Amino acid sequence: ADNWKNIRVSENFNPHKVENNKFYGLIRIGEIDDIYLDFHDLHQPAGIYNSTIISCDIGSNVSINNVRYLSHYIIRDTVILSNIDEMVTTSYAKFGNGIIKENEDEDIRIKIEVCNENGNRAIMPYDGMVSADAFLWSKYRDDSELMEKFKEFTQTRYDDKRGYYGTVGEYTVIKNCRIIKDVKIGSHAYIKGCNKLKNLTINSESASSTQLGEGIELVNGVIGFGCRVFYGVKAIRFILSDYSTLKYGARLINSFLGSNSTISCCEVLNALIFPGHEQHHNNSFLCAATLLGQSNIASGATVGSNHNSRANDGEIVAGRGFWPGLCTSLKHNSLFSSFNLLAKGAYPAEINNPFPFSLLSNNEKEGELTIIPAYWFMYNLYALERNSWKYSVRDNRKNKKLDLELNYLAPDTVNEMLSAMTLIEKLILNDEEYKNSSFNNAEDYLISNRGKDLIVHNIENSKRKTRILKSGHAYCVYKDFILYYIIRNILEYCENTDKKVDEILSSLSADTIENWVSIGGQLIREKDLENIILSVKNGSVNSWESLHKIYLDLSEKYTALKIKHCISVYKQMFNQEPITGKKDKFQKLCHYIFEETFKSRQKDYFNEFRLSTYNSKEEMEEVMGKLEDNSFIQINKEEMEKLISLSEKYL
């Protein structure tokens, strides 16, 4: 030691467990019992061995072995540090937060340039940021007062004093790492084989352990609870929300990744991604995009050909359930409604598609864009139903007070369907065939002409036409599933509150259909969003914590507000028809959903090309499983049977 008076130890300190070390500055060391610490196959004696330590506090029963340079860290009890080249905290450490310290220039502040490559939607990260914060901050850039408030929230969350120590929480294991600099680490984390960790907060706890693995390099970021980062990942200027995963060489730069998401093998730049995102393939690329969650990017998809502008300032915004297919390429700026599936193809122009649950296809032979609205309801209910179930099952958050909407039928998607129906009616009224028909209104015509195609010219930014296929059928299917949404929610609300339908209709009556928006996967009314913005600007909301409390308050009200939305939609669509008269129709829809869910999966068992690789039915069933044993189909069947039972009880 440079000065033995600076070495402070506990009363039960065991000097025989401290060998061959160099100490500099003030060192405090806790108790060291004659024990070994075990983690998986790692077996290390408690004590401090073969290390250089500068100005650190070391808890009780810690194992530090072969740490070549450990400086300015607080190490909690029962931690293992083994084979680390450099583990240092500097005097200006910010641990991934977008703040500046005293006497520092503004231009060194860390920002995450989400949504747009030009940086003009940049947000300032902080530990605890949720996707709603990132959305509000990146979206309302024309409100300078709001932007200044958000900046103030982040800066005042921390003081500007220098000299904070890095921390390692209890029961954390760090081994075989090269450089760890300015990193704050929670408890029960497991960190192994990392090349470089710099300017980070790594959240971890006993119930939500975070693990970082081999060959990764993470710089300027915040990592949520229960995250996994493995195998050659590179991430710079980023936030990983709780229970997100990066692996297999993924590159995440200037991006916010929502909870319960996975990115592997690919490149994601300047993106704001809401919860429930999947992107697994090596050659997929996502750039300058805002995805509203429950999305899946296929192999070869290029969502961000940002070279069709004179500057790198293009954007893509897609509603939840966005699925661009294999080898899909898109152009900025494009806007997609919820649950849009894009067939394989190089889409030559920008797209603004208002039809939810649709399939888009680039028909090069005919030289047109084709859209089948309500495609998911007609042809692939298995995937649609299973995804809602899957995202719910995979929601590993320990604290679920913040209600993320995972059902494909919700106020946002229902309002989109209503808008799509209105648009189809408008197009029909201008259609020559309709004008020459004997029909007096668009709805009757659409019901009688379900295969009607429509031609539009304002969905794609090109001279070619867009063909809307089966518009009449889509119109009817939209209406059916809106009815299903209404009655299902009312029945479940009756069951949960022990109220009758008439009581609910009278107590939660509403006349106008309110607009809804998704803020980070949480649905709120547009007027509540306006109130949030006003409250931030007038100072009644003066911190991120107080804003998060509003999110939670709105989350608690969501179910009742959704029922009001159901009632207002019912009144507009079905006038004064008694809802009890819709029982038979609802039950038919439940049967339809189960039957189509079953048939969607059944196709895989009778596709002769799919069967061609098997010598027998028995071999196929060993590999694929038996259709009748499909667990999700059984879950779906039970769910529909329960809804039918509720309709008998309450309707």
Side-chain angles (χ1 to χ4, degrees):
D2 62 335
N3 185 346
W4 285 107
K5 293 182 180 179
N6 287 334
I7 310 300
R8 314 281 179 87
V9 299
S10 64
E11 186 174 350
N12 295 324
F13 170 74
N14 183 351
H16 300 292
K17 295 290 185 178
V18 182
E19 299 178 357
N20 195 30
N21 304 289
K22 297 177 182 179
F23 295 108
Y24 300 92
L26 177 62
I27 308 290
R28 287 183 279 243
I29 304 173
E31 298 180 7
I32 306 177
D33 297 326
D34 190 14
I35 61 172
Y36 276 79
L37 303 182
D38 290 325
F39 186 82
H40 296 172
D41 57 351
L42 185 64
H43 189 61
Q44 295 279 18
I48 307 172
Y49 309 94
N50 308 311
S51 300
T52 298
I53 299 175
I54 303 166
S55 300
C56 289
D57 286 2
I58 299 170
S60 296
N61 291 323
V62 168
S63 175
I64 299 177
N65 187 22
N66 199 28
V67 179
R68 295 174 181 84
Y69 195 87
L70 175 61
S71 174
H72 293 88
Y73 261 90
I74 299 172
I75 311 297
R76 306 295 184 191
D77 297 346
T78 328
V79 165
I80 297 176
L81 304 179
S82 178
N83 295 325
I84 301 170
D85 287 350
E86 178 183 342
M87 188 168 174
V88 179
T89 305
T90 63
S91 63
Y92 49 83
K94 304 171 185 69
F95 308 112
N97 297 299
I99 59 174
I100 54 176
K101 295 290 187 177
E102 56 187 353
N103 301 320
E104 289 184 335
D105 293 333
E106 178 65 28
D107 59 3
I108 72 166
R109 187 191 298 271
I110 296 299
K111 298 179 182 179
I112 303 177
E113 297 175 358
V114 296
C115 309
N116 196 306
E117 283 186 280
N118 70 3
N120 288 331
R121 292 192 186 274
I123 61 176
M124 301 169 192
Y126 70 90
D127 181 20
M129 176 176 268
V130 297
S131 45
D133 302 335
F135 171 72
L136 294 179
W137 202 339
S138 65
K139 177 63 176 174
Y140 296 98
R141 305 305 289 198
D142 54 337
D143 193 332
S144 58
E145 187 179 356
L146 181 68
M147 297 298 102
E148 193 60 35
K149 289 288 186 181
F150 287 157
K151 179 180 177 181
E152 181 183 321
F153 287 1
T154 299
Q155 183 63 45
T156 57
R157 185 179 174 87
Y158 310 91
D159 68 47
D160 64 353
K161 303 301 182 186
R162 294 173 180 254
Y164 279 88
Y165 277 42
T167 56
V168 179
E170 61 184 4
Y171 295 102
T172 282
V173 176
I174 307 174
K175 69 175 186 178
N176 303 330
C177 294
R178 291 190 59 207
I179 299 171
I180 300 174
K181 185 175 183 179
D182 295 343
V183 180
K184 179 181 178 182
I185 304 168
S187 68
H188 298 83
Y190 182 33
I191 300 173
K192 60 175 181 175
C194 301
N195 288 340
K196 186 174 186 178
L197 305 177
K198 180 181 178 182
N199 192 31
L200 304 171
T201 292
I202 301 170
N203 288 293
S204 183
E205 61 185 10
S206 176
S208 304
S209 172
T210 290
Q211 298 184 20
L212 309 182
E214 293 82 355
I216 67 174
E217 296 170 11
L218 310 180
V219 179
N220 299 334
V222 177
I223 299 171
F225 292 96
C227 289
R228 302 286 185 269
V229 185
F230 294 128
Y231 310 130
V233 165
K234 317 293 182 188
I236 301 170
R237 295 179 184 248
F238 68 96
I239 288 183
L240 288 187
S241 299
D242 295 351
Y243 288 95
S244 287
T245 298
L246 298 178
K247 57 186 178 180
Y248 306 140
R251 286 145 290 166
L252 183 72
I253 302 170
N254 271 316
S255 295
F256 183 106
L257 183 61
S259 58
N260 301 304
S261 298
T262 299
I263 293 177
S264 61
C265 310
C266 61
E267 185 173 7
V268 176
L269 311 175
N270 305 95
L272 170 56
I273 303 173
F274 290 8
H277 176 75
E278 302 290 331
Q279 190 168 353
H280 299 152
H281 305 286
N282 190 46
N283 51 346
S284 63
F285 176 59
L286 178 65
C287 177
T290 301
L291 305 185
L292 272 58
Q294 297 161 259
S295 39
N296 196 319
I297 309 298
S299 177
T302 302
V303 184
S305 177
N306 210 0
H307 298 281
N308 58 314
S309 170
R310 281 162 287 281
N312 60 334
D313 56 3
E315 301 177 356
I316 284 179
V317 178
R320 57 195 181 99
F322 181 59
W323 281 27
L326 296 169
C327 299
T328 298
S329 64
L330 298 173
K331 283 196 170 184
H332 293 72
N333 288 4
S334 289
L335 176 65
F336 298 92
S337 54
S338 299
F339 292 92
N340 279 191
L341 172 64
L342 280 70
K344 175 181 179 179
Y347 292 82
E350 301 92 324
I351 296 171
N352 182 353
N353 179 37
F355 296 102
F357 301 99
S358 61
L359 170 67
L360 288 76
S361 180
N362 181 34
N363 189 336
E364 294 182 350
K365 181 179 179 180
E366 300 296 333
E368 62 186 24
L369 176 69
T370 60
I371 300 176
I372 304 177
Y375 166 86
W376 288 96
F377 301 136
M378 301 178 195
Y379 301 110
N380 201 354
L381 261 174
Y382 177 87
L384 197 57
E385 285 281 322
R386 184 178 178 275
N387 282 326
S388 287
W389 167 80
K390 175 183 73 175
Y391 287 116
S392 177
V393 169
R394 294 181 182 178
D395 185 3
N396 293 313
R397 295 172 301 149
K398 301 305 177 186
N399 183 351
K400 296 184 181 180
K401 291 182 179 179
L402 196 64
D403 194 348
L404 301 178
E405 181 56 82
L406 302 174
N407 197 300
Y408 63 89
L409 292 176
D412 60 337
T413 53
V414 167
N415 283 359
E416 286 183 6
M417 286 193 281
L418 290 171
S419 297
M421 291 172 67
T422 300
L423 176 56
I424 292 172
E425 288 177 341
K426 182 180 178 181
L427 293 170
I428 285 295
L429 292 175
N430 293 316
D431 184 77
E432 289 301 320
E433 288 186 11
Y434 169 76
K435 291 179 181 178
N436 295 326
S437 71
S438 60
F439 289 91
N440 296 321
N441 65 74
E443 182 170 355
D444 290 343
Y445 178 84
L446 289 163
I447 292 172
S448 298
N449 294 272
R450 293 185 174 228
K452 174 67 177 177
D453 291 355
L454 294 170
I455 302 298
V456 297
H457 294 279
N458 60 350
I459 289 179
E460 186 180 62
N461 183 25
S462 71
K463 294 181 180 179
R464 67 179 190 166
K465 60 190 176 185
T466 298
R467 184 179 299 274
I468 311 301
L469 301 175
K470 304 181 182 181
S471 62
H473 191 37
Y475 183 94
C476 297
V477 171
Y478 279 149
K479 189 172 183 178
D480 285 347
F481 274 83
I482 290 172
L483 179 66
Y484 170 76
Y485 156 80
I486 293 168
I487 296 181
R488 173 178 181 153
N489 280 287
I490 289 176
L491 292 177
E492 290 177 341
Y493 193 73
C494 288
E495 185 73 357
N496 292 332
T497 60
D498 199 28
K499 293 181 179 179
K500 297 180 179 179
V501 172
D502 291 340
E503 186 180 355
I504 292 171
L505 293 176
S506 59
S507 63
L508 294 172
S509 61
D511 294 322
T512 59
I513 299 175
E514 296 181 300
N515 293 327
W516 287 70
V517 293
S518 174
I519 56 168
Q522 177 184 4
L523 299 184
I524 66 172
R525 296 176 300 177
E526 196 172 71
K527 67 180 183 181
D528 291 323
L529 175 56
E530 293 169 355
N531 289 335
I532 286 174
I533 293 173
L534 182 62
S535 298
V536 171
K537 291 164 67 173
N538 67 23
S540 55
V541 171
N542 57 13
S543 67
W544 289 119
E545 286 80 7
S546 57
L547 181 54
H548 291 178
K549 186 177 184 305
I550 292 180
Y551 298 159
L552 291 173
D553 290 343
L554 290 171
S555 189
E556 291 174 359
K557 299 174 183 176
Y558 175 61
T559 300
L561 292 174
K562 183 164 61 172
I563 296 300
K564 286 187 69 174
H565 179 261
C566 291
I567 296 168
S568 60
V569 172
Y570 187 85
K571 285 186 175 181
Q572 177 173 303
M573 292 189 69
F574 301 101
N575 298 317
Q576 301 302 317
E577 297 179 46
I579 197 168
T580 51
K582 299 294 183 182
K583 182 179 76 170
D584 291 343
K585 178 67 173 178
F586 176 75
Q587 292 184 353
K588 287 179 181 178
L589 285 169
C590 290
H591 287 298
Y592 172 83
I593 289 171
F594 170 69
E595 289 166 3
E596 289 302 313
T597 298
F598 180 82
K599 289 177 184 177
S600 297
R601 182 57 174 154
Q602 186 184 44
K603 293 174 186 176
D604 294 330
Y605 286 79
F606 294 94
N607 182 327
E608 62 182 55
F609 290 94
R610 188 158 180 147
L611 296 175
S612 64
T613 61
Y614 304 105
N615 290 332
S616 65
K617 179 182 177 182
E618 289 73 22
E619 181 191 353
M620 178 194 70
E621 289 181 342
E622 281 296 319
V623 176
M624 295 175 57
K626 293 182 179 180
L627 179 62
E628 57 268 25
D629 293 339
N630 184 292
S631 60
F632 172 69
I633 289 176
Q634 296 302 318
I635 290 170
N636 183 258
K637 181 180 180 181
E638 293 170 5
E639 184 179 19
M640 293 304 114
E641 289 174 347
K642 180 181 178 181
L643 289 173
I644 291 171
S645 176
L646 290 177
S647 70
E648 290 290 347
K649 180 178 180 180
Y650 292 105
L651 296 180

